[in-house]
Structures are given as C-alpha cells and as structure tokens.
C-alpha cells in the first residue's frame, strides 16, 4: 500500500465495516486470482504465481495461440484440469450468499476458473469479465462464430491428456517445466522446434476443431491480452453502473489491480461514492486507500466469510 498520511490510513476493524455493510444497498465486488488461491489454484503474479514462470503477456495472447496452438492448448488444458479438480472456497460461497440476500449486489470476476459459478453465485449477478476456461469457441469468431459453453470435458481431446504420473516428475511439474522452456523460446522468437522439451508437441489435427465450420481450430473462450472484453458483459456492467445513482460499497478481493479495464471499475465505483474494502495478502496491492476505506490483510477464504457474515 502506497504510504499515505497516517490520518488517511484505511480502517482495519471489522466492526466499522460490518456497520457500513448493513446500511449498504448498491454493492459491487471485483475478484481476482487471489480469491481462488485457497482452492489450490495458483495466482498469476503472487509468490509462486503461475504466470511468474509463464509470463502472461506471452501465453495469454492470440499471437501465442497462432504461433503454437499446441502449447497454448496444453497451457489451458492444464488449467482446466486444475480448476476442475479444485473446489469453490468459503469466500466464493459467501459472495454467492450475499448475492442471494441482496439483488443490488453485483460481482465482477476476472477469474476464468469457474469457481464462482460452481459456488452457486446467482448468474445474473456475476459478470465474468475475462470469459471462462470452460467456454470453447471457433478461432474465427467473425466468419464462423461457433461457441460452446460449459464444456467440462477433461482432457478436451485425448492428445491433451497430461503426461502420465508414472514418468518420474509429477505430470503438472513436468508440464510446467516443459512449457516454461518452450515459452522462453516463444519469447525469444526462437524456432521452438530446436527447444528440447519433454512436452509432446501436438499436431494441429489432434487439437480441438470447430464442429461448425469444420475448418478452424477451437480456442479457449477466455479474453486474451489485446482482445476486447465480451460486448454483452461490458454493456451489462456499464448498465449496472449507470443505473447506480450511488454505490455504497466496493469489495476488491484478491487482485493486483494491474489488468484493465477490470481494475478501472474501482475508480468508477469511487466516483459514485463507494467506500472501498480491499482483501489481499499483500499490502503493496492495496493502493489509493483513504480513511473512508478498509484494508483486510490475509487469505480471502478466511476473511471474506468473516466480514460478510
Ligand atoms: C483490452 C484471461 C482493449 C486469460 C486475463 C496493448 C493492447 C491492448 C490492450 C493493452 C495493451 N497494453 C496494455 C493493455 C491493456 C491490457 C492490460 O491491462 N495489460 C496489463 C498487463 C497492463 N488489457 C487488455 O489487453 C484487456 N483488453 O484492453 O482490450 C482493446 C480494445 C479494442 C480492441 C482491442 C483491444 C484484456 C485483459 C484480459 C487478459 N486476460 N485472463 C487467462 O487467464 O489466461 S487477465 C488475467 O489477469 C486473469 O484474468 C487475472 O485474473 C487477471 C488479473 O490478475 P489478478 O487476478 O489480479 O491476479 P494476480 O496474480 O495479478 O494477483 C493476485 C492477487 O491476489 C495479488 O494481489 C496477491 O497479493 C493476492 N493474493 C494471493 N493470494 C491471496 C491473495 N489475496 C487474498 N487471499 C489470498 N489467499
């Protein structure tokens, strides 16, 4: 947290937060990878963060998919596998409960892991800003437009099955290590064929293909860097903000607030009067807080159910 004058330090006591929550009507939450950390899913930039080794801006892009769809699909198939084997935690459940209690509460999630929907969060009050690992769509949305939602098959095609556990290193570690080597090659723009990785390079015909146009590959239904957020989601969110005369509270849970336009919603809420409560393991990611706000340091899975009960 950037050092502000002491009289502007945010509150840290739950009592004053609960008092404000009880008198709040219009509430909005922005979720990031940190809310799913306790479900066993690595974050992107935190300690041991998944992307610390993979570098998001290289793998989560259309260019990376075009350069090596097999590598991209192995990265996403691995994350689908991990998310399917994870469970929503008490923070996901507490937010779903708050949505059921308060129709004026809206959750904006940057996460693609499917844990908020699986927590029973009312769908009309949950906006997945960056799509979902479990949506798959034709590479060519312009000419074909095929999209399949809630595809939980794991692996999505046999060729994407994780290397079997009995080949020495646990499959996940082996896959991560191999992808990392290949990723460095991608970053360097080197010819990845000269990168000796254990990762089986998957031929194009073994990757998921679009059943509609029968021509293009299917791609993960997530929003990559440089891509616009889904138009329907963006207009729902802007409608919600426009309909909000005043916003009473914004919860910012488990996010480094580095990715836009998602991170920009906090300022939008402030402009409508919102007081902000940040839940994060790292003070450094709780920025621009004033004495009107709160900062709760620690694990979202522990703190969120506490402060929302
Ligand atoms: C857009 C899906 C415009 C994929 C994700 C050049 C061209 C175009 C745009 C840009 C550009 N340069 C910059 C931009 C903008 C860019 C951007 O913001 N870049 C950043 C890096 C600066 N944004 C975009 O590209 C967006 N699109 O702007 O389009 C446009 C308009 C017209 C035409 C063309 C383009 C699209 C961004 C979406 C990218 N996709 N995900 C995938 O997942 O593979 S983003 C990805 O990062 C995830 O969704 C993730 O959720 C999100 C944000 O990260 P966090 O969730 O915050 O995770 P992180 O690890 O960073 O932090 C975790 C936090 O939790 C930490 O604070 C940690 O302390 C805390 N924590 C850890 N454990 C716990 C915890 N807290 C509590 N409890 C714990 N236990």
């Amino acid at each position: 947290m950037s050092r502000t004058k002491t009289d502007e330090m945010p509150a840290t006591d739950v009592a004053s937060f609960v008092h404000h929550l009880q008198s709040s009507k219009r509430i909005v939450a922005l979720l990031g990878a940190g809310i799913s950390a306790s479900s066993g899913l690595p974050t992107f930039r935190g300690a041991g963060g998944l992307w610390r080794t993979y570098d998001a801006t290289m793998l989560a892009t259309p260019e990376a998919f075009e350069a090596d769809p097999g590598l991209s699909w192995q990265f996403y198939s691995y994350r689908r596998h991990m998310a399917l084997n994870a469970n929503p935690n008490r923070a996901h459940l507490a937010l779903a409960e708050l949505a059921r209690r308060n129709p004026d509460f809206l959750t904006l999630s940057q996460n693609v892991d499917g844990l908020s929907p699986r927590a029973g969060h009312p769908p009309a009050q949950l906006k997945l800003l960056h799509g979902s690992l479990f949506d798959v769509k034709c590479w060519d949305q312009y000419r074909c437009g095929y999209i399949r939602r809630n595809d939980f098959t794991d692996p999505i095609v046999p060729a994407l099955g994780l290397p079997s556990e009995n080949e020495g290193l646990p499959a996940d570690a082996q896959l991560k290590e191999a992808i990392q080597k290949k990723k460095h090659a991608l970053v360097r723009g080197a010819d990845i064929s000269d990168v000796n990785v254990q990762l089986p390079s998957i031929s194009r015909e073994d990757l998921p293909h679009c059943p509609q146009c029968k021509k293009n590959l299917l791609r993960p239904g997530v929003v990559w860097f440089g891509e616009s957020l889904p138009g329907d989601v963006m207009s729902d969110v802007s409608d919600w903000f426009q309909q909000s005369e005043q916003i009473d509270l914004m919860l910012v849970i488990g996010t480094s607030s580095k990715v836009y336009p998602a991170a920009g919603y906090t300022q939008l809420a402030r402009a409508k009067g919102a007081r902000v409560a940040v839940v994060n393991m790292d003070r450094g990611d709780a920025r621009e807080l004033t004495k009107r706000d709160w900062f709760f340091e620690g694990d979202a899975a522990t703190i969120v159910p506490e402060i929302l009960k």
Side-chain angles (χ1 to χ4, degrees):
M1 178 173 10
S2 53
R3 302 306 301 169
T4 51
K5 290 196 293 304
T6 39
D7 62 356
E8 286 189 358
M9 290 301 277
T12 54
D13 69 297
V14 177
S16 65
F17 171 82
V18 169
H19 179 69
H20 182 66
L21 174 69
Q22 283 163 350
S23 60
S24 293
K25 194 164 174 328
R26 275 320 248 189
I27 306 171
V28 57
L30 177 68
L31 313 185
I35 195 172
S36 299
S38 275
S39 296
L41 297 182
T43 63
F44 300 86
R45 298 170 187 83
L50 179 68
W51 279 353
R52 181 183 292 280
T53 43
Y54 296 140
D55 184 344
T57 48
M58 285 312 290
L59 269 179
T61 65
E63 294 75 16
F65 188 87
E66 280 201 291
D68 187 345
L71 173 64
S72 181
W73 259 118
Q74 290 181 80
F75 180 56
Y76 283 98
S77 185
Y78 166 65
R79 289 173 61 196
R80 286 165 58 97
H81 178 76
M82 288 176 68
L84 284 171
N85 286 282
N87 291 307
N89 63 53
R90 291 174 60 227
H92 299 106
L93 296 167
L95 290 161
E97 174 52 33
L98 177 60
R100 281 190 290 271
R101 275 202 321 263
N102 176 358
D104 280 311
F105 169 55
L106 182 71
T107 292
L108 311 178
S109 182
Q110 299 173 93
N111 298 337
V112 295
D113 58 30
L115 293 187
S116 285
R118 283 175 51 199
H121 198 298
Q125 291 171 259
L126 171 65
K127 297 301 168 191
L128 301 180
L129 302 177
H130 297 157
S132 168
L133 288 169
F134 305 104
D135 292 349
V136 281
K137 58 188 189 182
C138 181
W139 166 253
D140 187 342
Q141 284 296 295
Y142 181 66
R143 275 176 285 273
C144 173
Y146 174 82
I147 184 161
R148 183 166 72 217
R149 299 204 183 273
N150 302 318
D151 173 325
F152 300 110
T153 42
D154 180 32
I156 192 164
V157 288
L160 286 168
L162 282 175
S164 67
E165 301 279 341
N166 59 17
E167 282 160 16
L169 272 176
D172 284 4
Q174 185 186 61
L175 183 56
K176 280 173 76 162
E177 184 190 333
I179 286 184
Q180 187 182 355
K181 278 188 210 151
K182 218 166 184 177
K183 185 269 307 176
H184 283 307
L186 267 182
V187 173
R188 284 198 314 272
D191 169 7
I192 50 177
S193 58
D194 70 6
V195 178
N196 169 27
V197 284
Q198 297 113 346
L199 205 62
S201 55
I202 298 181
S203 55
R204 192 184 171 83
E205 54 271 13
D206 292 337
L207 291 174
H209 280 72
C210 177
Q212 182 166 283
C213 67
K214 302 195 183 344
K215 197 161 86 291
N216 298 303
L217 289 177
L218 288 177
R219 54 160 283 182
V222 298
V223 179
W224 280 324
F225 287 98
E227 292 186 322
S228 310
L229 275 57
D232 56 339
V233 170
M234 294 293 274
S235 57
D236 288 352
V237 175
S238 82
D239 288 352
W240 191 89
F241 275 87
Q242 265 158 27
Q243 287 152 14
S244 307
E245 283 286 298
Q246 127 127 15
I247 296 174
D248 303 306
L249 175 62
M250 174 145 196
L251 303 166
V252 180
I253 302 171
T255 180
S256 58
S257 296
K258 289 194 173 83
V259 173
Y260 286 83
Y265 287 119
T266 306
Q267 286 319 328
L268 228 50
R270 277 194 190 289
K272 294 252 176 173
R275 297 175 69 177
V276 175
V278 171
V279 178
N280 202 303
M281 295 284 261
D282 178 352
R283 286 173 174 276
D285 286 342
R287 293 184 294 275
E288 284 126 42
L289 295 181
T290 71
K291 60 184 182 223
R292 293 182 75 233
D293 305 323
W294 292 267
F295 173 63
F296 298 111
E297 184 171 5
D299 176 12
T302 308
I303 293 174
V304 172
E306 265 308 299
I307 62 174
L308 295 186
K309 68 180 177 201

